[in-house]
Amino acid sequence: MTLLDEFQLFLKTLGWPDWAYYSVPALTGIVIIVAAVLTIVIVFIWWERRLLGRFQIRLGPNRCGPEGIFQPIATAVKILLKEDIVPAKADKVVHFIAPIAVFVPVLMVFAVIPFDKAAILVDLNVGAIYIIAISSLSMLAIFMAAWASCNKYSLIAGLRAIAQMVSYELPVVMSLVGVAMMASSLSMVKIVEAQTLPFILLQPLGCLIFFLGSLAEMNRCPFDLLEADSEIVAGYHTEYSGMKFALFYLGEYGVAFVYAAVITTLFLSGWQGPFLPPVLWFLIKVFLVFTLILWMRATLPRLRVDQLMTFAWKFMLPMSLINLIVVAIEILLVPASLQWVMIVINFGLAAVLILLFSRMFTFGGGRVEV
Amino acid sequence: MPEITYSITFYLMAAIAVAAALGVIILRDVFRAALSLILLFMTVAGIYLLLHADFLAIVQILIYVGAISVLIIVAIMLTRDARQGQPLGKIKWVAGIVALALIGVIAWGVINTAFYLSSTPPLEETVKPLGNLLFGNPGYMLTSEIAAVLLLSAILGAIAVIREK
């Protein structure tokens, strides 16, 4: 029973009418989630700017408040005050809807993220597929923005978005299937409860593939070809300014938060942990995953388009298929008391497969040799 | 869900679905028509949700919104003058008559069908029964396997067609 259900029962005992005790807790939950997500996203923005500063041996924003903590708020105010420019030949309606359509799916995904056993908006029994389905909506929104801008650079970014997300969705779903099989459920709460050992130990390869695939899905470095500023200006949001641009910006960090939360739930045993309260454990893990994402951005150079496609189809997809089959066989053959055998086998397998595949496809020189 | 919330949600979804469907055929701009179609898919998913078919609703979004619509949009990218749309051809009267006849047949079919309401309560967990039906032992194992082979042969066929000699 979630907190919202309890709230609902409480209102029912107070004698509220049917429609009220049903809709008031739902709306309350939505407002709380939106507020929490926006707050955490603002913290993430500050953390990213500060940490990137450290990585690049400079200070980063440190003037506004202690350690520059108020810098994101100052940035937000500045963006709000900027003029909203719409190109003359743009498709005005679609140009207006696109930033909203980017941001809404991000918030929708949080409906099934369990911050705690009870702190979840709704524990869908199809939670894991819900996340995949809803996050595929933002790809369409990016394409809407790219098309409506009537700008060739935006359009190229839109095409890249479609190619990239269609390719990387496959390995992501494949590694999610492995988790669902092991937990024998698609509900997010049950997946967390099934993890007496975090699934990152039982399925290291699946976790790695999911992490890399979700980096590509959220268009972060090294997969940020959509906004490769040396080639296509700012990609799909070249023609956006003011609050509309801010929505894209927030959406980008929101997606990073979503995937950090999903990885925490699927592979890092979610809210579970000793001593500290569950919500705090969840946030700590999310923060660690986000820092890892940031580290990737600071360290790795951007891939080329052909390298990106090769990496998805010839490297990640076969590995995720092999991982899926191996996990399925292990679930059938290895008894629950011998989980350490599984850990040893899977770590060995991951190492062997990665070595083998990196030998088969070298990314050296100027071109991909297959 | 209380009766009134249910009704409001249903009629809202239905109204948006009808409007979106009309938008698909009325809008000149092919890209906007495609977006309207996507809105239609999403409202249909919402109606599935109201009918307690949550797995179907999610799969509707995953397949239709996430994949089919991408196919449509890529096709639009290869179209010239996507913003003007296609002007009506010489056969518009014939097309109109055929469309009206089709609407008539469908409306007649819907009006004259007796719809039965099921009194069994909806399943709490839909994924496991569905999986058991698809892959279980008396189930649709053979048909789903054949579907997989069919898809594989379609992929191979596509590769064979586009391969450079």
Side-chain angles (χ1 to χ4, degrees):
Chain A
M1 181 173 263
T2 67
L3 290 174
L4 282 183
D5 290 336
E6 280 172 29
F7 189 28
Q8 211 168 29
L9 277 183
F10 170 70
L11 289 184
K12 206 173 179 178
T13 52
L14 285 185
W16 284 36
D18 267 7
W19 59 271
Y21 83 71
Y22 190 81
S23 38
V24 168
L27 288 176
T28 321
I30 292 169
V31 169
I32 291 173
I33 285 288
V34 170
V37 167
L38 287 180
T39 318
I40 293 171
V41 161
I42 284 175
V43 174
F44 275 5
I45 291 175
W46 169 78
W47 177 238
E48 163 143 20
R49 292 176 75 177
R50 287 292 292 182
L51 204 66
L52 269 187
R54 298 301 302 169
F55 272 119
Q56 294 162 357
I57 322 181
R58 59 188 169 85
L59 287 175
N62 65 346
R63 293 284 134 181
C64 214
E67 292 298 311
I69 186 77
F70 297 126
Q71 188 62 43
I73 296 166
T75 311
V77 172
K78 186 196 80 177
I79 281 179
L80 278 174
L81 293 175
K82 283 203 170 178
E83 186 190 356
D84 176 33
I85 301 167
V86 182
K89 288 205 167 175
D91 187 339
K92 304 272 183 324
V93 181
V94 182
H95 189 270
F96 178 77
I97 297 174
I100 305 169
V102 164
F103 196 54
V104 169
V106 173
L107 292 176
M108 278 171 76
V109 171
F110 281 99
V112 294
I113 304 279
F115 289 84
D116 188 358
K117 188 171 166 33
I120 175 172
L121 269 191
V122 49
D123 181 23
L124 290 180
N125 78 75
V126 287
I129 331 176
Y130 172 87
I131 289 170
I132 299 291
I134 298 296
S135 52
S136 72
L137 292 182
S138 61
M139 164 180 64
L140 275 173
I142 286 176
F143 197 80
M144 276 165 72
W147 175 273
S149 297
C150 217
N151 173 325
K152 59 189 170 201
Y153 298 119
S154 300
L155 205 54
I156 293 172
L159 279 175
R160 286 184 178 181
I162 285 198
Q164 183 172 329
M165 295 204 190
V166 167
S167 318
Y168 280 89
E169 204 162 282
L170 280 170
V172 166
V173 175
M174 291 287 180
S175 45
L176 191 133
V177 171
V179 171
M181 284 194 308
M182 207 168 254
S184 71
S185 175
L186 286 170
S187 136
M188 297 299 263
V189 171
K190 283 185 191 152
I191 287 177
V192 174
E193 279 171 349
Q195 295 179 53
T196 43
L197 275 177
F199 282 164
I200 187 175
L201 294 177
L202 293 171
Q203 298 187 33
L205 191 58
C207 182
L208 189 70
I209 290 167
F210 193 92
F211 178 72
L212 291 176
S214 55
L215 270 186
E217 297 254 306
M218 65 177 119
N219 311 318
R220 295 286 296 206
C221 249
F223 302 102
D224 60 345
L225 287 148
L226 310 191
E227 26 195 300
D229 21 22
S230 55
E231 303 159 24
I232 48 173
V233 196
Y236 58 94
H237 52 60
T238 305
E239 300 290 358
Y240 281 90
S241 60
M243 192 58 211
K244 288 179 188 162
F245 172 74
L247 277 180
F248 281 116
Y249 192 68
L250 277 180
E252 217 166 276
Y253 282 91
V255 170
F257 181 21
V258 164
Y259 276 108
V262 171
I263 290 169
T264 305
T265 314
L266 295 182
F267 293 103
L268 302 178
S269 72
W271 68 77
Q272 292 178 1
F275 310 122
L276 296 172
V279 179
L280 206 59
W281 263 116
F282 185 83
L283 288 179
I284 288 172
K285 286 173 185 171
V286 167
F287 209 68
L288 284 179
V289 176
F290 183 74
T291 311
L292 195 63
I293 293 171
L294 241 167
W295 190 2
M296 303 277 289
R297 173 177 173 180
T299 311
L300 293 173
R302 185 179 292 138
L303 292 178
R304 244 181 12 232
V305 179
D306 57 333
Q307 291 172 335
L308 186 84
M309 287 296 137
T310 313
F311 188 64
W313 290 101
K314 297 183 173 164
F315 194 82
M316 296 214 342
L317 187 63
M319 283 221 291
S320 62
L321 279 171
I322 294 171
N323 179 52
L324 190 62
I325 293 168
V326 170
V327 168
I329 293 171
E330 281 171 346
I331 289 171
L332 283 181
L333 297 183
V334 180
S337 53
L338 283 176
Q339 273 189 329
W340 61 270
V341 177
M342 219 154 144
I343 294 175
V344 172
I345 292 176
N346 283 348
F347 268 97
L349 187 83
V352 169
L353 277 182
I354 291 170
L355 274 180
L356 204 69
F357 273 76
S358 56
R359 277 293 159 83
M360 279 162 76
F361 310 111
T362 50
F363 291 91
R367 110 202 139 74
V368 181
E369 285 156 42
V370 178
Chain B
M1 196 184 281
E3 197 64 33
I4 180 158
T5 332
Y6 185 89
S7 310
I8 290 173
T9 320
F10 174 75
Y11 282 110
L12 204 65
M13 290 282 183
I16 297 174
V18 171
L22 283 175
V24 176
I25 51 174
I26 289 173
L27 287 173
R28 250 298 130 86
D29 189 332
V30 186
F31 186 68
R32 283 195 191 177
L35 291 183
S36 190
L37 187 67
I38 292 165
L39 183 63
L40 174 66
F41 289 149
M42 275 148 71
T43 47
V44 170
I47 290 173
Y48 286 153
L49 266 188
L50 285 181
L51 296 170
H52 295 279
D54 48 3
F55 186 77
L56 191 60
I58 300 300
V59 169
Q60 162 93 5
I61 290 183
L62 192 64
I63 307 282
Y64 281 89
V65 181
I68 306 264
S69 60
V70 170
L71 196 69
I72 294 172
I73 284 172
V74 171
I76 291 173
M77 301 293 305
L78 303 174
T79 319
R80 270 191 298 164
D81 297 335
R83 286 204 160 176
Q84 276 79 44
Q86 198 182 8
L88 290 170
K90 279 176 189 165
I91 53 164
K92 62 181 171 185
W93 293 109
V94 184
I97 291 166
V98 172
L100 275 181
L102 192 65
I103 291 177
V105 169
I106 293 173
W108 182 81
V110 169
I111 291 167
N112 283 296
T113 310
F115 290 102
Y116 298 103
L117 291 176
S118 166
S119 57
T120 47
L123 292 172
E124 269 299 308
E125 183 143 3
T126 48
V127 180
K128 272 182 186 159
L130 200 66
N132 281 336
L133 264 183
L134 270 180
F135 301 107
N137 198 4
Y140 300 97
M141 186 71 183
L142 185 64
T143 38
S144 47
E145 297 277 308
I146 290 174
V149 174
L150 182 72
L151 284 176
L152 183 65
S153 56
I155 294 170
L156 290 179
I159 293 172
V161 167
I162 62 160
R163 198 179 55 165
E164 289 169 27
K165 291 276 154 39

